[in-house]
Amino acid sequence: MFLSVFDIFKIGVGPSSSHTMGPMVAGARFLEALRGSPFSAQGLRVRLHGSLAFTGKGHATDRATILGLAGVEPEDYDHDAAEAILAANVRDGILKPPGLPPLAFAPESDLIFDYGPALPGHANGMVIEALDAQRDVLMHEVYYSIGGGFVRTEAELAAVDDAARDAPSPVPYPFKSADEMLTMAHGSGLSIAQMKRRNEARFRSHEDIDAGLARIWATMRDCMERGLSTEGELPGGLRVKRRAKAIHDSLREDWGRNLAPPHQINDWISAYAMAVNEENAAGGQVVTAPTNGAAGVVPAVIRYWLDHVPQARSEQIPDFLLTAAAVGGLIKTNASISGAECGCQAEVGSAAAMAAAGLAAVLGGSPEQIENAAEIALEHHLGMTCDPVKGLVQVPCIERNGLGAIKAVSAASLALRGDGTHFVPLDAAIETMRQTGRDMHEHYKETSLGGLAVNVPNC
């Protein structure tokens, strides 16, 4: 199953790829289906299940659902336009999606948070219904937001079985495991990034690939710069203060004094990552890497490499992103990148593995060293829970990205000190993460029913 670099890295809006971007995408998909149907709908109704219900308000799922049903999509999100749509909906109880008549939608009655059992397909489930004038259901669809902004209907999720996974791939290097990736790298004499690029070239020109990768990095960089220059409190009620700017300003004051201890580099890395995730928490534009909750790790490691590592060249950023996406695709295919499914090991753990692989690649690592770097980073996130306080992507999520980035740098460094041979294969770490997520209690999988979410004050 081929996953593009542009599937792993998607431009969207915070605070959550699964709880914000996913419902927005689902709404847009339902509208498209409704436009092609014979029905003349008069209204809409949505029921949120599982993690979407338990932490939906903290993740702005209610806002995202309304915006999606109004025709707003994550990549084209405009804050002022979105606020106008939401205000009009509160005032009039109407949504006006393009290509459809005005549709009745009163959030207090038509957006239902169902705290009962989750739907069977995934922890993030939602049902969207089109209604006639008598409020009878004309059309309905079940959607699952499976992490990283990916959305599947109930039928699509059921169709992804072993036969589909084993179907012939249209790409020249269809590695489905890290072991296959290394075997193909040896057989072809290509790097992981080169194989990934040739796979991408099956669907896009090299010019389009380069332009898309440049846009991804530009969006990451711009998000980070906004975070490094913005102060104040984050929304949501916890009164969490932005810290990235103050940390960064303090570090810049010390720059060049030759008095700083060597470990201060960790503060730089943390500031870069926290800047991204503070922007995400504020609902800004971010890039899934592979999710919004883990969006700070990859750009922080790239920024560390560019600004603090001698001989780093921006021309290598595409190789970093392609290598990271290859590892992210393996994790998503064989385990999960969803916090609601496998805890934060699937989000920050996956991001750290991706960043470690990308850094090892641009520092000249062999395919074996790159695979080792990814394995070290993922292994030391195994068992990490997802327990956001008040359902907000703030505590512990923002700092956790900083520590994930530091682990990624350390993992790449350790791997490059060796020859690529190691005890635990990346495939084993990925499978262990899947099993750990399966066994993890639902209280620790993005429901805010356990962990820090219930052991610190929420207001």
Side-chain angles (χ1 to χ4, degrees):
M1 180 183 297
F2 173 71
L3 283 174
S4 170
V5 63
F6 304 111
D7 292 325
I8 297 296
F9 297 114
K10 292 191 285 290
I11 297 172
V13 61
S16 171
S17 49
S18 57
H19 286 60
T20 313
M21 289 175 60
M24 200 179 291
V25 170
R29 290 191 60 181
F30 188 80
L31 293 179
E32 191 60 31
L34 192 57
R35 292 184 189 103
S37 77
F39 304 115
S40 180
Q42 301 295 309
L44 299 167
R45 184 166 58 213
V46 179
R47 187 179 296 272
L48 303 172
H49 294 263
S51 180
L52 290 184
F54 282 108
T55 61
K57 290 184 179 178
H59 286 70
T61 304
D62 46 353
R63 290 167 53 91
T65 300
I66 296 167
L67 291 171
L69 293 173
V72 177
E73 298 193 46
E75 192 165 345
D76 301 321
Y77 178 83
D78 177 272
H79 176 76
D80 292 339
E83 292 301 318
I85 290 170
L86 292 168
N89 178 238
V90 169
R91 183 185 65 242
D92 303 328
I94 297 290
L95 293 174
K96 299 178 180 179
L100 289 166
L103 298 169
F105 187 86
E108 64 275 10
S109 58
D110 293 325
L111 183 56
I112 302 163
F113 290 79
D114 190 320
Y115 300 108
L119 296 178
H122 190 276
N124 292 328
M126 60 190 299
V127 179
I128 307 180
E129 299 172 329
L131 311 174
D132 64 14
Q134 287 75 45
R135 308 283 293 171
D136 292 326
V137 177
L138 295 172
M139 187 175 96
H140 94 288
E141 183 62 84
V142 177
Y143 294 97
Y144 292 105
S145 180
I146 61 174
F150 291 89
V151 173
R152 299 286 183 269
T153 65
E154 189 172 41
E156 289 168 347
L157 200 66
V160 181
D161 54 17
D162 291 337
R165 292 174 187 266
D166 294 336
S169 174
V171 299
Y173 300 101
F175 48 84
K176 298 186 291 293
S177 68
D179 183 62
E180 288 183 2
M181 180 176 71
L182 294 178
T183 298
M184 291 180 188
H186 270 289
S188 65
L190 300 175
S191 69
I192 294 171
Q194 287 169 332
M195 291 193 298
K196 183 65 174 168
R197 178 178 283 273
R198 295 196 182 187
N199 286 348
E200 297 289 338
R202 175 67 178 78
F203 306 98
R204 296 174 176 84
S205 69
H206 287 289
E207 293 77 13
D208 286 344
I209 294 170
D210 286 334
L213 293 173
R215 187 183 180 205
I216 286 171
W217 169 239
T219 304
M220 288 178 169
R221 181 196 62 221
D222 292 348
C223 175
M224 189 184 302
E225 289 300 327
R226 291 193 304 273
L228 291 172
S229 61
T230 306
E231 297 177 306
E233 290 185 355
L234 295 171
L238 289 182
R239 305 203 67 182
V240 171
K241 292 183 178 179
R242 288 178 180 254
R243 297 160 58 201
K245 181 181 185 299
I247 295 171
H248 190 243
D249 289 347
S250 176
L251 289 167
R252 290 177 66 185
E253 288 178 6
D254 292 343
W255 187 255
R257 292 183 181 178
N258 296 323
L259 299 175
H263 66 255
Q264 195 177 82
I265 191 62
N266 290 336
D267 298 341
W268 286 93
I269 297 169
S270 291
Y272 297 147
M274 291 168 65
V276 172
N277 283 86
E278 286 174 357
E279 278 297 293
N280 177 65
Q285 188 178 62
V286 297
V287 177
T288 63
T291 66
N292 283 27
V297 177
V298 168
V301 174
I302 295 177
R303 178 71 175 267
Y304 155 76
W305 166 67
L306 285 175
D307 286 6
H308 301 274
V309 177
Q311 287 80 53
R313 296 182 295 111
S314 59
E315 292 81 3
Q316 293 179 281
I317 290 175
D319 286 346
F320 191 116
L321 293 173
L322 288 164
T323 305
V327 169
L330 292 177
I331 296 172
K332 185 183 186 308
T333 298
N334 296 303
S336 176
I337 59 171
S338 168
E341 191 171 25
C342 285
C344 199
Q345 58 174 355
E347 296 206 30
V348 171
S350 297
M354 292 165 58
L359 181 60
V362 296
L363 292 178
S366 67
E368 290 81 7
Q369 289 172 316
I370 292 167
E371 184 261 359
N372 188 17
E375 181 276 323
I376 294 171
L378 182 60
E379 180 181 6
H380 296 289
H381 282 88
L382 291 175
M384 181 175 282
T385 61
C386 183
D387 51 352
V389 177
K390 203 179 176 182
L392 300 170
V393 194
Q394 298 179 16
V395 179
C397 320
I398 294 171
E399 283 184 354
R400 191 168 281 178
N401 274 256
L403 274 293
I406 291 169
K407 283 187 182 181
V409 173
S410 297
S413 183
L414 283 173
L416 291 171
R417 292 290 180 184
D419 62 3
T421 58
H422 54 288
F423 191 79
V424 179
L426 175 58
D427 288 327
I430 293 173
E431 173 59 17
T432 302
M433 190 257 276
R434 186 192 68 80
Q435 294 176 3
T436 303
R438 178 195 62 197
D439 295 339
M440 189 180 289
H441 196 286
E442 66 175 12
H443 284 187
Y444 302 101
K445 293 193 284 188
E446 210 169 3
T447 58
S448 289
L449 295 175
L452 288 175
V454 299
N455 286 304
V456 299
N458 286 359
C459 60

